[in-house]
């Protein structure tokens, strides 16, 4: 017996991209036209995904250019010392952490198409204005402003991607978006080197000021493009046809994902704080994040081994590109198999083994070949936090507001906590051995394996799963409005 259309909806839906059909068992299921769905996904990829990658590239470029500016003469011009420099780094993270959760609350109530590009333009302008500073106090102030400006982007973009893509699509696209990090790391040094070689003294400005101007303007240009490319949510994006909007809504709804935001309440906060998943993912996020230090310190390690400064910096480029390729491959495999947990756990086991080898061989004083091989192997770790957030998008799918708060909460605390470990474990004066850092990262990576499997097990037994927040007040108000409209229609007909 073949599957047949439900007779009550056949005439209304037969020629549409979405239809309700009745299975042989009598269950109503959703039929989605695969050709129309493929066209929709291509449109989202060409607009939202490409823009998100470029914006994240600009994000990391503008966030991390302080170290390049420091080596290009800013240290002498502003009379900076290591303490002042470290406070400049810290001021960014103060602003960055403070506005993460408010930013993701705002994005559920306002148009992402206008909010996120405006955020990108704002931070680009802040970076360009850094060319005007003449004191370390001004540097601190603008770094704080930069953190505040960037805070809403990353968790907001992760949330928006999770609002559009299905579980079978989300992993590789989140990982592609996150490779903006690696590409920024690969080309940030090359851009800085080019500016130092060609623009120093132009217009009477030192190279480090031109660095801020050029890289800030990249963010401004990308931000303006976002006004034309970025969507809102599946139900209210104007550049989709009504048919495509209906399809976009139904295809995520069929996977249990809430599409529209309701009123926030304390129950939203309890849905995050009173269930174990956000807390466990934060610890896991921090463990994974610490494993990135081998890549972050690669140039310092090579310089400590006696390689020229230019060679040490240039070697970051192929390593980060290799990491980007690995990230997309892991994301593709995760989507294809429908698995998140064992892709995270397997990668962390791989990373832990390599850190163990690097720590054991000559107590961290590794030969050059092992340093290169180990660093390239560990680049698989760089985008694992993004896959954790893709997983979070799915864990908190039942309630849109809860999902927004959870993603921001995990990203904010998960980024903050590792810094307290890094200042003790990965001390620059320990280069090139970094024995304590390698041992610490090894232990954290093994811990991540156990945490990931534990989270998977809790999900498998359906332990305290986050549920949709029942907003009775909002539902009652909506019901009263519908009754008023019905009474009005009845009077007109009478």
């Amino acid at each position: 017996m073949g599957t047949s259309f439900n007779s009550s909806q056949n005439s209304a839906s037969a020629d549409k991209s979405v239809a309700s059909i009745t299975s042989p068992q009598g269950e109503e299921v959703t039929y989605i036209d695969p050709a129309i769905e493929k066209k929709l996904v291509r449109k989202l990829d060409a607009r939202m995904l490409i823009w998100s990658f470029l914006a994240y590239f600009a994000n990391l470029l503008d966030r991390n250019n302080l170290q390049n500016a420091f080596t290009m003469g800013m240290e002498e011009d502003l009379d900076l010392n290591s303490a002042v420099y470290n406070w400049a780094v810290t001021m960014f993270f103060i602003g960055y952490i403070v506005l993460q959760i408010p930013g993701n609350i705002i994005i559920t109530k306002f148009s992402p198409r206008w909010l996120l590009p405006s955020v990108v333009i704002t931070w680009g302008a802040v970076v360009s204005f850094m060319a005007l500073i003449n004191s370390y106090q001004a540097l601190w102030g603008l770094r704080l402003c930069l953190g505040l400006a960037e805070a809403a982007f990353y968790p907001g973009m992760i949330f928006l991607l999770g609002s559009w893509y299905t579980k079978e699509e989300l992993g590789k696209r989140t990982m592609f978006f996150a490779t903006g990090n690696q590409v920024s790391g690969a080309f940030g040094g090359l851009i800085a080197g080019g500016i130092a070689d060609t623009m120093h003294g132009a217009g009477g400005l030192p190279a480090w000021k031109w660095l801020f101007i050029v890289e800030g303007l990249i963010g401004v240009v990308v931000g303006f493009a976002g006004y034309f490319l970025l969507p809102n949510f599946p139900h209210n994006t104007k550049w989709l046809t009504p048919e495509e909007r209906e399809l976009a809504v139904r295809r995520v709804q069929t996977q249990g994902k809430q599409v529209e935001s309701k009123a926030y309440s304390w129950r939203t906060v309890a849905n995050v704080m009173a269930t174990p998943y956000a807390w466990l993912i934060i610890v896991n996020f921090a463990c994974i994040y610490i494993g990135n230090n081998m890549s972050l310190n690669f140039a310092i390690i090579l310089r400590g081994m006696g390689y020229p400064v230019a060679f040490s910096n240039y070697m970051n480029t192929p390593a980060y590109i290799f990491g980007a390729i690995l990230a997309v491959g892991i994301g593709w495999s995760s989507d294809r198999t429908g698995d998140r947990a064992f892709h995270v756990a397997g990668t962390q086991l791989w990373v832990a083994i390599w850190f163990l080898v690097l720590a054991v061989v000559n107590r961290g004083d590794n030969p050059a070949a092992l340093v290169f091989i180990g660093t390239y192997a560990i680049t698989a770790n760089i985008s694992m936090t993004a896959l954790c957030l893709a997983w979070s998008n799915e864990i908190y799918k039942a309630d849109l507001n809860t999902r927004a708060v959870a993603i921001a909460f995990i990203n904010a605390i998960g980024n903050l906590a590792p810094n307290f470990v890094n200042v003790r474990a990965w001390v620059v004066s320990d280069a090139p051995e970094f024995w304590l850092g390698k041992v610490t990262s090894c232990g954290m990576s093994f811990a991540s394996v156990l945490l990931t499997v534990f989270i998977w097990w809790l999900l498998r037994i359906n332990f305290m799963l986050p549920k949709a927040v029942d907003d009775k007040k909002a539902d009652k108000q909506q019901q009263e409005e519908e009754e008023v409209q019905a009474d009005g229609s009845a009077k007109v007909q009478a």
Side-chain angles (χ1 to χ4, degrees), residues 296-367:
L296 293 173
N297 289 288
F298 187 38
I300 295 174
I301 292 171
L302 293 178
R303 189 175 61 185
M305 294 172 66
Y307 290 100
V309 173
F311 175 83
S312 300
N313 287 323
Y314 286 141
M315 284 300 99
N316 275 327
T317 300
Y320 275 114
I321 291 176
F322 183 72
I325 294 170
L326 287 179
V328 174
I330 292 169
W332 176 84
S333 175
S334 177
D335 281 352
R336 185 174 178 83
T337 60
D339 166 76
R340 302 287 185 243
F342 290 101
H343 280 74
V344 175
T347 302
Q348 289 309 292
L349 180 61
W350 167 263
V351 170
I353 291 171
W354 275 104
F355 270 121
L356 180 62
V357 171
L358 291 168
V360 169
V361 174
N362 296 334
R363 195 176 167 80
D365 187 12
N366 309 132

Side-chain angles (χ1 to χ4, degrees), residues 7-8 18 161 221 337 344:
S7 59
S8 65
V18 180
L161 291 172
V221 171
T337 60
V344 175

Side-chain angles (χ1 to χ4, degrees), residues 4-13 20-22 28:
S4 60
F5 278 95
N6 185 307
S7 59
S8 65
Q9 301 194 24
N10 185 20
S11 60
S13 301
S20 295
I21 62 175
T22 303
E28 189 175 278

